[in-house]
Amino acid sequence: MSRSDKVIKVEQIGSPIRRHHSQRETLIGLGLNKIGRVADLPDTPSTRGMIYKVRHLVRVIDGAQGDHR
């Protein structure tokens, strides 16, 4: 199973209000724009970079929670 076949489940736990507009745009790019929404995303370096950018607003639900590299 290659790395791109894996899926990361991400939940939005914080609000983008009073945050830089690029962080809100990143949440929308991840398929999240309301607190409590969950998105299944492909495990790619670009997706991990987007998650890292808004790591204070999202939570990784699957087993690899601390592995944002």
Side-chain angles (χ1 to χ4, degrees):
M1 187 167 173
S2 71
R3 185 174 178 96
S4 63
D5 291 338
K6 295 183 182 177
V7 175
I8 300 174
K9 188 176 283 197
V10 180
E11 177 183 9
Q12 183 176 343
I13 59 169
S15 172
I17 296 174
R18 292 189 177 190
R19 306 287 180 180
H20 196 267
H21 66 89
S22 66
Q23 292 180 6
R24 176 165 172 79
E25 292 170 355
T26 301
L27 286 173
I28 292 170
L30 290 171
L32 305 168
N33 61 353
K34 290 185 180 178
I35 294 175
R37 288 232 172 132
V38 178
D40 292 327
L41 305 167
D43 188 5
T44 62
S46 60
T47 302
R48 286 182 174 262
M50 292 172 75
I51 292 170
Y52 185 79
K53 182 175 182 178
V54 293
R55 64 191 178 274
H56 55 288
L57 300 174
V58 299
R59 175 177 57 173
V60 177
I61 297 174
D62 286 342
Q65 286 186 342
D67 190 20
H68 292 297
R69 287 178 242 143

